[in-house]
């Protein structure tokens, strides 16, 4: 972007302190304003565990749905038509939220993908659903084979590509990862060297750490004779001077005021949220999670508030977060009781509803509010931040514990118009299912149908973000992520025609 940093990115404060500000359209040259619409944003959110039945996670596909033949079977697409009742908007049993937040306009920016499969077992992984199938813990020769072929997660492929960050001016972090469990984001140990292995990027576990990473040190050292001042206080005079300069348009003033209010609110909330992020651990694992569902939600929302401010300023355009970890399940149990009693038992009605309730909480109180906040921030060129964003929410498992078939994909935003939003797309072959008792399918409600590969989905995401195929395609299938030789009997379900299209853009998506 051909922009002057002193006017585009920062307000200069006292003592060398600076506060990033959002793009002000009247300060941008015409060509920079045009490029603003191309500044896509990727946010990848993965919920550990999973196992919601397809009938709970997705709406029913209507009989008059659009259909076509693809990869040897029929795929379908239909517009989303949620039910609105009692102040709730219900897309499905799990995908339900307050109508005040999940508005009709926001539903139009929602896309559901069903029937996307990792065609082999990847047990207890942290990042396979973002592309590193080597992150599982299978000790067998099969698991060892995967660990010999690691891949970075797609957020790092995006963040490291010259095609994505064509200009790093104003960028403080190529990518950020936040959460309290595991290393979701993983990159090459040596950039571009596939023999160097991958390393996990530690997640920022407090909103204050995320704020420091994006905005820099927001506080000056404490003076000897009094309390330290906040960065907002330090730049308030310069903010007022810029506002009263007469050089800003009405849209500039609106964006500047909105941004200052957001940062002031962030600083006000830090003292509250930080107290909630380090609960006293409970020794009795049968007790409910030490932090509690409300505190877990508040923690993730606090991180997201910082992230939205950073995205509005253009400080980064890639973020990831791992939800529902060992100590933050969004459910009534945590740690091993949740793993054993809920995750491993999701084929039973009681544990299934517990899993659905935790997913419903994440959707209604974390995912939808993030989309709504991004949709409330104008991008300066006639749209919102959400319009150029893709929020990907997906899970560790598909429709049963340790099963990687039919992994849910919930997308908000169109990635700058690349995705045709407002639809439910079903890639499953309704005539091809796992047999009862085959590969754990006895735990799956109503059987498990075979769909398209996760490799094709991840490759489609990279194409949406303009990452050239030569930077990531695999030689033996053309999509993204390691495809092993046929070392598991289950892989044979996806061999042939399904893998032959793995390098293509997913149909109906764009």
């Amino acid at each position: 972007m051909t922009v002057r940093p002193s006017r585009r990115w920062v307000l200069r404060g006292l003592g060398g302190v600076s506060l990033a500000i959002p793009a002000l359209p009247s300060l941008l040259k015409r060509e920079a304003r045009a490029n603003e619409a191309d500044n896509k944003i990727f946010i990848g959110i993965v919920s550990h565990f999973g196992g919601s039945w397809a009938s709970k996670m997705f709406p029913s596909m209507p009989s008059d749905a659009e259909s076509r033949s693809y990869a040897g079977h029929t795929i379908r697409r239909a517009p989303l038509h949620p039910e609105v009742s009692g102040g709730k908007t219900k897309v499905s049993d799990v995908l339900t939220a307050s109508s005040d937040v999940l508005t009709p306009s926001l539903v139009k920016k929602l896309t559901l993908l069903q029937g996307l499969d990792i065609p082999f077992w990847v047990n207890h992984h942290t990042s396979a659903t973002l592309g590193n199938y080597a992150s599982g813990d299978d000790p067998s020769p099969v698991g060892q084979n995967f660990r010999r072929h690691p891949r970075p997660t797609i957020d790092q492929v995006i963040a490291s590509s010259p095609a994505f960050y064509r200009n790093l001016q104003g960028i403080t972090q190529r990518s950020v990862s936040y959460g309290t469990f595991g290393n979701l984001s993983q990159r090459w140990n040596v950039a571009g060297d596939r023999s160097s292995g991958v390393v996990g990027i530690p997640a920022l576990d407090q909103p204050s750490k995320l704020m420091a990473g994006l905005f820099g040190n927001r506080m000056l050292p404490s003076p000897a004779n009094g309390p330290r001042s906040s960065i907002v206080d330090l730049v308030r005079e310069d903010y007022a001077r810029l506002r009263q300069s007469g050089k800003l348009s009405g849209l500039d003033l609106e964006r500047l005021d909105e941004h200052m209010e957001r940062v002031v609110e962030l600083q006000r909330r830090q003292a509250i949220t930080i107290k909630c992020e380090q609960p006293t651990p409970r020794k009795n694992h049968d007790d409910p999670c030490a932090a509690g569902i409300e505190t877990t939600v508040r923690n993730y929302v606090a991180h997201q508030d910082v992230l939205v401010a950073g995205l509005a300023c253009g400080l980064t355009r890639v973020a990831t977060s791992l939800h529902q970890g060992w100590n933050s399940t969004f459910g009534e149990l945590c740690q091993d009781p949740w793993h054993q009693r809920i995750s491993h038992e999701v084929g039973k009605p009681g544990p299934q509803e517990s899993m659905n309730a935790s997913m419903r909480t994440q959707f209604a109180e974390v995912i939808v509010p993030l989309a709504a906040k991004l949709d409330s921030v104008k991008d300066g060129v006639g749209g919102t931040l959400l319009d150029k964003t893709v929020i990907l929410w997906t899970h560790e498992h598909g429709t049963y514990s340790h099963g990687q078939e039919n992994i849910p994909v919930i997308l908000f935003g169109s990635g700058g118009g690349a995705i045709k939003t407002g639809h439910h797309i079903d890639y499953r072959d309704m005539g091809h299912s796992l047999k009862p008792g085959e590969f754990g399918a006895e735990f799956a409600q109503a059987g498990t149908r075979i769909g398209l590969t996760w490799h094709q989905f991840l490759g489609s995401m990279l194409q949406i973000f303009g990452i050239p195929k030569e930077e990531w395609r695999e030689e033996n299938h053309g999509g993204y992520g390691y495809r092993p030789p046929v070392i598991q009997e289950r892989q044979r379900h996806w061999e042939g025609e399904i893998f032959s299209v793995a390098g293509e853009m997913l149909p109906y998506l764009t």
Side-chain angles (χ1 to χ4, degrees), residues 181-194:
F181 179 81
N183 294 329
L184 170 60
S185 182
Q186 304 196 6
R187 61 172 174 80
W188 292 119
N189 191 27
V190 177
D193 182 357
R194 290 196 170 199

Side-chain angles (χ1 to χ4, degrees), residues 230-251:
S230 76
I231 190 169
V232 171
D233 291 334
L234 292 169
V235 301
R236 198 178 299 276
E237 288 185 10
D238 287 342
Y239 155 69
R241 186 160 49 248
L242 176 61
R243 197 184 189 287
Q244 297 169 8
S245 66
K247 298 179 180 179
L248 302 183
S249 68
L251 182 58

Side-chain angles (χ1 to χ4, degrees), residues 61 159 244 391:
M61 185 65 68
Q244 297 169 8
I391 300 174

Side-chain angles (χ1 to χ4, degrees), residues 245-424:
S245 66
K247 298 179 180 179
L248 302 183
S249 68
L251 182 58
D252 288 343
L253 293 172
E254 181 181 351
R255 294 208 70 205
L256 188 60
D257 290 345
E258 176 190 73
H259 178 70
M260 285 296 291
E261 289 174 6
R262 182 179 294 112
V263 175
V264 169
E265 177 66 9
L266 281 176
Q267 291 206 145
R268 185 192 70 78
R269 293 178 59 181
Q270 289 302 303
I272 300 173
T273 58
I274 290 174
K275 291 179 182 177
C276 300
E277 288 160 11
Q278 298 178 352
T280 302
R282 299 188 183 218
K283 295 181 180 180
N284 184 354
H285 290 175
D286 290 330
D287 287 343
C289 294
I293 297 173
E294 183 179 342
T295 298
T296 297
V297 168
R298 188 163 59 241
N299 179 46
Y300 280 99
V301 169
H303 280 88
Q304 288 179 171
D305 287 345
V306 177
L307 176 63
V308 171
L311 294 171
C313 297
L315 304 181
T316 189
R317 293 196 280 124
V318 179
T320 58
S321 178
L322 186 62
H323 279 196
Q324 203 181 27
W326 203 242
N327 295 308
S328 57
T329 63
F330 292 85
E332 71 273 18
L333 296 172
C334 62
Q335 298 179 351
D336 201 50
W338 178 270
H339 184 206
Q340 300 297 342
R341 300 181 193 176
I342 306 301
S343 182
H344 280 181
E345 300 291 329
V346 290
K348 301 175 181 178
Q352 174 65 201
E353 180 46 40
S354 292
M355 182 62 72
N356 292 339
S358 74
M359 294 298 179
R360 196 178 300 119
T361 296
Q362 291 176 72
F363 181 74
E365 300 189 34
V366 182
I367 306 297
V368 174
L370 172 60
K373 288 169 188 172
L374 288 171
D375 206 35
S376 71
V377 180
K378 298 177 180 63
D379 67 359
V381 290
T384 70
L385 280 187
L386 184 61
D387 293 331
K388 58 187 181 182
T389 298
V390 174
I391 300 174
L392 161 63
W393 180 41
T394 187
H395 304 163
E396 177 189 3
H397 298 156
T399 54
Y400 61 95
S401 180
H402 297 304
Q404 274 80 42
E405 297 82 33
N406 202 18
I407 300 172
V409 172
I410 291 86
L411 305 173
F412 271 108
S414 68
I419 295 175
K420 186 175 177 63
T421 61
H423 288 85
H424 171 203

Side-chain angles (χ1 to χ4, degrees), residues 121 400 434-444:
W121 270 316
Y400 61 95
L434 296 179
K435 298 175 183 178
E438 184 182 23
F439 313 132
E442 68 270 21
F443 300 111

Side-chain angles (χ1 to χ4, degrees), residues 480-502:
Y480 185 77
Y482 174 61
R483 176 195 178 187
V486 181
I487 55 177
Q488 297 174 349
E489 183 63 27
R490 68 189 290 118
Q491 287 178 234
R492 298 188 185 279
H493 285 280
W494 292 268
E495 291 300 314
E497 201 163 1
I498 292 177
F499 249 118
S500 72
V501 299

